[in-house]
Amino acid sequence: MSARRALSRLCVQLLAIGFVLTAGLLLAGPTAQAAPNAGSAAGTDGLDPALALAYTLAEREAQGAGVPLWIVSGYRTPAEQEGLWQDGLRTYGSPDVARRWVLPPNESTHVSGHAIDVGPQQGAQWLQANGSRYGLCRMYDNEWWHFELATAPGGVCPPILPDASHR
Ligand SMILES: [Zn+2]
C-alpha cells in the first residue's frame, strides 16, 4: 500500500470514528438534558396515554427547535378540580361566569386526563401552530394554554370556542 493510499484510508477511518462519536453524543444528548425535562415527564402522569404520547412527541420537536415547552397542569384529581371550581365560584361570583374559566370536576377534561395546560406563552404559540401534526389543538379563545387531543395526527383542529362554557 502506498503512503498516499494509507493516508487516505486513515482519513476515512478517522471520519468514521468522528461520525460514531458525533452520533453517540447526539444520542446521549437527551439523557444528559434529562433534568429540565423531568418536570414535564412527570407532567404527563395520569393523562390519557394517547394524549401523553402526542404531547411528548410534540415537546421533543419544540425543544429540538429551541422552543421552551412544558406542562403547567395536566391530570387533576377530582378533589383538586373541586378546589379550583370553588375558587372560581368565589372569584367570579356565579357558576355561569366561573364556567368560562373553570369547570366542576365531573365536566373537566383535566380530571378525565384529556387536557393539558402548557407554558410558557412562546411554547403555547408553537404548539398552536404545530400541534395538529400530533393531533393537539388549542380549544378556547380565552385560554392560550389549554390543549387537547382533538383531531387525528396531521388533521385539522376544530374551530376554537370562545371559552369552556361553550363545550
Ligand atoms: Zn386547561
Side-chain angles (χ1 to χ4, degrees):
M1 192 184 295
S2 73
R4 197 187 167 120
R5 223 181 130 145
L7 186 62
S8 88
R9 200 172 155 151
L10 180 64
C11 285
V12 168
Q13 284 169 348
L14 285 175
L15 278 174
I17 290 168
F19 175 79
V20 168
L21 285 176
T22 305
L25 284 174
L26 286 174
L27 288 174
T31 312
Q33 293 168 2
N37 291 335
S40 61
T44 59
D45 284 358
L47 292 178
D48 169 65
L51 172 59
L53 177 61
Y55 173 76
T56 300
L57 294 174
E59 184 195 82
R60 195 171 297 170
E61 189 192 330
Q63 293 183 346
V67 177
L69 178 64
W70 54 74
I71 292 177
V72 174
S73 179
Y75 167 74
R76 297 176 196 147
T77 66
E80 286 168 338
Q81 189 69 27
E82 180 64 26
L84 294 174
W85 173 239
Q86 293 302 327
D87 285 348
L89 289 176
R90 272 192 295 275
T91 302
Y92 299 107
S94 80
D96 282 351
V97 182
R99 290 176 64 83
R100 295 180 195 161
W101 298 97
V102 59
L103 293 173
N106 61 328
E107 295 176 53
S108 171
T109 47
H110 284 280
V111 174
S112 68
H114 290 89
I116 49 173
D117 296 343
V118 303
Q121 198 153 8
Q122 183 193 355
Q125 284 168 352
W126 183 93
L127 196 58
Q128 187 176 343
N130 299 283
S132 65
R133 288 211 291 279
Y134 304 94
L136 295 166
C137 301
R138 175 176 168 179
M139 303 304 286
Y140 308 122
D141 197 42
N142 69 333
E143 296 187 25
W144 55 259
W145 52 84
H146 182 102
F147 288 79
E148 298 182 17
L149 204 57
T151 187
V156 177
C157 285
I160 294 177
L161 299 171
D163 58 62
S165 72
H166 287 73
R167 279 189 90 89

